[in-house]
Amino acid sequence: MYSDRINALPPYLFATIDEARDELIARGVDVIDLGVGDPDLPTHPHIVEAMREAVCDPKTHDYPSYAGMPEFRKAAADWCKKYKRIELDPATEVLALLGSKEAVAHIPLAFVNPGDVVLYTDPGYPVYKIGTMFAGGEPYPLPLTAENNFLPDLDSIPEDVLKKAKLFFFNYPNNPTAATADMQFFEKVVEFCKKNDIIAVHDNAYCQMTYDGYESPSFLAADGAMDIGMELYSHSKTYNMTGWRLGFAVGNKDLIKGLGKVKSNVDSGVFDAIQIAGIAALCSSQDCVEETNKIYQERRDALIEGLTAIGLKVKPPKATFYIWAPVPEGFTSMSFAKLLLEEAGIIATPGVGFGDAGEGYIRFALTKPVDRIKEAVDRMKKLKF
């Protein structure tokens, strides 16, 4: 019944987790869901109010622009200049997105021919691999290890792979490891991609979710990055707007044009009222982002303290709202996730679900209040591992 393309895909990780959660809830289990990275905090009120006003305006009810409202693209460019120190032409170097996920899925369709190789970090967001497969490309994982600070070893890629490589997906601050990258690494990526004629795509969804004074740099701020790259930004995590489906791509004008050509053929753009709300998010005070980060930092500290107390070796991340923890000795990532689920009613994501290099780890999302996180720790203390 289904196409070979669909049959080749594994079950989507987070859909599987949702099913497991719903099954437990139906059985009456008090589930503490630290699995999917969906913020539990509501969208900030001033953003909701901007949407409320805009949706009542009949002018927003028409088909939107494929590329995004000029006002939204300018707001995105201004935000990038202020917070990421990059200069952009809103007309040619900014593109509105239905969330950054759709860009990850569509970018290979714009640039990858069957047989081309797409490099991506492993463990990583599953859509890097899935989008490549949809385009007929060959996904090639670059393992992230603790020994290399969860950065890919670009020098380890075989020459025959490099000759066929067309795209490189990477993501810092990183999901799922919560690792960060500095400008020295980004400069190395630029040099690597220029040398091998590879398009660089930096998924920067977690750039504003930072702690302890850390500031996350833009890849496009690296010298020469605009020649070969693009960067994806998301309103989902920064402004608690996951359900709104809004983000933007920025970068080299020819790359933005290629992605825009795919989008104009498969979707009809972002609803104008949502873009107006997105403008309010970008152009208003960012105090709301800082307040949200304080909440996540408190949760981070509570979970780190609890996991350390039960013997898991974890470090507090400087960014994202994830804790990437090694599983206890004698467990695989799947068996430990199963133990937490069945014996404690806790959902955490097995590291192997993000790729083979994620084996031996488990990811906790800081998407529950401190009291529930402490309760999850108390439940884990009663387990035998």
Side-chain angles (χ1 to χ4, degrees):
M1 176 180 179
Y2 300 115
S3 69
D4 292 341
R5 186 182 297 109
I6 289 294
N7 286 330
L9 297 179
Y12 187 61
L13 173 64
F14 301 115
T16 303
I17 291 172
D18 284 348
E19 290 174 5
R21 177 200 61 206
D22 294 344
E23 181 180 338
L24 281 174
I25 292 173
R27 285 164 38 195
V29 176
D30 177 23
V31 174
I32 301 177
D33 188 352
L34 304 178
V36 181
D38 186 359
D40 61 309
L41 302 171
T43 307
H44 305 293
H46 67 285
I47 300 172
V48 175
E49 179 60 21
M51 171 69 168
R52 188 191 66 79
E53 292 180 3
V55 80
C56 291
D57 183 354
K59 294 179 181 178
T60 66
H61 300 176
D62 298 333
Y63 278 123
S65 161
Y66 291 113
M69 297 172 64
E71 298 87 349
F72 177 78
R73 284 180 280 148
K74 183 180 185 305
D78 290 346
W79 183 93
C80 285
K81 181 178 181 179
K82 184 174 183 179
Y83 297 105
K84 297 301 168 187
R85 302 178 182 87
I86 52 177
E87 296 274 356
L88 299 162
D89 178 357
T92 61
E93 297 174 336
V94 182
L95 180 70
L97 301 173
L98 291 158
S100 57
K101 178 180 180 179
E102 63 99 345
V104 172
H106 288 151
I107 285 170
L109 294 175
F111 303 106
V112 173
N113 290 315
D116 286 344
V117 167
V118 174
L119 310 172
Y120 69 99
T121 49
D122 176 352
Y125 189 42
V127 187
Y128 304 144
K129 179 178 180 179
I130 291 170
T132 298
M133 294 171 68
F134 272 137
E138 298 179 9
Y140 187 89
L142 301 180
L144 305 182
T145 65
E147 293 74 20
N148 202 39
N149 298 314
F150 296 107
L151 297 173
D153 182 1
L154 302 178
D155 298 326
S156 69
I157 306 170
E159 280 298 322
D160 61 324
V161 173
L162 287 176
K163 288 179 182 178
K164 296 192 296 179
K166 189 66 179 291
L167 275 176
F168 174 30
F169 281 113
F170 57 108
N171 158 233
Y172 293 94
N174 183 260
N175 172 26
T177 71
T180 57
D182 58 18
M183 288 305 296
Q184 184 177 0
F185 171 74
F186 287 156
E187 288 164 1
K188 183 173 183 178
V189 170
V190 173
E191 180 183 0
F192 165 79
C193 288
K194 284 192 171 185
K195 178 182 177 181
N196 296 288
D197 195 23
I198 295 171
I199 297 167
V201 182
H202 184 225
D203 179 6
N204 208 11
Y206 298 90
C207 63
Q208 301 307 95
M209 191 176 280
T210 58
Y211 317 109
D212 304 323
Y214 174 71
E215 292 186 10
S216 174
S218 164
F219 164 69
L220 293 180
D223 187 33
M226 284 290 291
D227 298 334
I228 47 83
M230 68 171 72
E231 197 161 47
L232 309 179
Y233 287 91
S234 171
H235 278 56
S236 294
K237 306 303 192 294
T238 303
Y239 301 109
N240 301 331
M241 294 175 68
T242 49
W244 300 59
R245 308 318 304 139
L246 181 64
F248 54 92
V250 298
N252 178 278
K253 65 179 181 180
D254 293 324
L255 300 180
I256 294 296
K257 183 177 180 181
L259 174 58
K261 190 167 185 178
V262 174
K263 285 177 54 57
S264 65
N265 281 282
V266 299
D267 70 56
S268 297
V270 181
F271 181 28
D272 281 352
I274 291 178
Q275 291 187 66
I276 291 169
I279 293 169
L282 294 168
C283 296
S284 301
S285 167
Q286 301 298 289
D287 288 350
C288 59
V289 179
E290 294 183 13
E291 292 167 4
T292 298
N293 287 346
K294 289 178 182 177
I295 293 171
Y296 287 132
Q297 182 166 342
E298 184 181 7
R299 296 175 179 183
R300 178 201 69 172
D301 294 345
L303 186 54
I304 290 288
E305 180 181 356
L307 294 176
T308 301
I310 62 176
L312 298 186
K313 297 178 180 179
V314 288
K315 296 179 180 179
K318 294 188 291 185
T320 79
F321 60 169
Y322 302 122
I323 304 296
W324 186 243
V327 300
E329 187 175 348
F331 286 88
T332 66
S333 61
M334 287 294 291
S335 66
F336 188 57
K338 184 178 181 182
L339 176 71
L340 293 179
L341 182 66
E342 295 181 352
E343 302 297 327
I346 298 168
I347 295 178
T349 310
V352 73
F354 296 99
D356 291 344
E359 181 53 75
Y361 291 87
I362 196 160
R363 192 194 76 176
F364 296 95
L366 303 172
T367 51
K368 287 291 179 283
V370 169
D371 61 335
R372 292 289 276 172
I373 287 175
K374 289 183 176 179
E375 182 177 345
V377 171
D378 288 341
R379 293 183 189 182
M380 282 188 266
K381 289 179 179 178
K382 298 175 183 178
L383 300 176
K384 294 180 180 180
F385 56 81

